[in-house]
């Protein structure tokens, strides 16, 4: 049975390898609504984030950042909402200007943006 399961996952493993899973330094999730923001605003934020992360990754001076859009981060207030890992910084109120600041300051320089920070829950890399 274990061999059959491994065989079933071969396509997913190949896709994970193709996408560089295991090489990322950071991962940002952004909620695209519809509860914390309109779907249109959520999609615009996702498009902006996707482009900017591509530009940051193209610099090649840091491990790459992975980005994922989600339908809900369960903070259904003042969206779009995003979380940056491994630091576990949660942001809200990410209108275009605020999102640009989070991209430049947190994703680009590793500095939190206190005006939009709503909580922190860092991942521990220790056993």
């Amino acid at each position: 049975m274990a061999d059959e399961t491994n065989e079933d996952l071969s396509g997913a493993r190949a896709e994970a390898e193709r996408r560089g899973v295991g090489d990322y330094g950071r991962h940002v999730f952004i909620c695209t609504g519809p509860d914390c923001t309109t779907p249109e605003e959520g999609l615009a934020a996702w498009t902006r984030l996707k482009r900017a992360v591509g530009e940051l990754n193209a610099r090649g001076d840091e491990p790459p950042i992975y980005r994922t859009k989600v339908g809900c981060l369960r903070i259904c207030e003042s969206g779009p909402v995003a979380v940056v890992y491994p630091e576990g910084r949660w942001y809200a109120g990410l209108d275009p200007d605020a999102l640009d600041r989070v991209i430049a300051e947190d994703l680009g320089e590793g500095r939190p943006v206190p005006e939009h920070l709503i909580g922190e829950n860092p991942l521990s890399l220790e056993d």
Side-chain angles (χ1 to χ4, degrees), residues 1 9 42 82:
M1 184 65 116
L9 297 178

Side-chain angles (χ1 to χ4, degrees), residues 73-83 88-94 112-121:
L73 287 170
R74 299 185 60 123
I75 307 291
C76 300
E77 297 287 335
S78 303
V81 172
V83 59
R89 293 186 192 122
W90 287 72
Y91 292 102
L94 297 180
V113 180
E115 296 84 357
H116 296 282
L117 192 65
I118 60 169
E120 295 182 83
N121 189 50

Side-chain angles (χ1 to χ4, degrees), residues 99-111:
L99 181 56
D100 286 346
R101 283 198 59 206
V102 168
I103 291 165
E105 296 173 31
D106 194 325
L107 298 179
E109 300 171 7
R111 293 183 297 117

Side-chain angles (χ1 to χ4, degrees), residues 7-101:
E7 204 170 296
D8 291 343
L9 297 178
S10 62
R13 287 186 177 114
E15 183 63 12
E17 183 177 344
R18 183 183 78 77
R19 294 203 173 261
V21 172
D23 295 329
Y24 295 111
R26 304 174 83 204
H27 194 156
V28 56
F29 296 83
I30 191 162
C31 180
T32 59
D35 294 332
C36 69
T37 190
T38 67
E40 295 79 17
E41 290 169 336
L43 181 58
W46 166 248
T47 301
R48 191 178 207 94
L49 177 67
K50 187 175 167 180
R51 177 193 46 78
V53 166
E55 291 171 4
L56 289 171
N57 286 342
R59 294 188 325 200
D61 57 350
E62 296 286 334
I65 301 165
Y66 201 63
R67 77 284 185 282
T68 301
K69 65 180 169 180
V70 297
C72 185
L73 287 170
R74 299 185 60 123
I75 307 291
C76 300
E77 297 287 335
S78 303
V81 172
V83 59
V84 178
Y85 285 113
E87 297 88 349
R89 293 186 192 122
W90 287 72
Y91 292 102
L94 297 180
D95 63 29
D97 290 336
L99 181 56
D100 286 346
R101 283 198 59 206

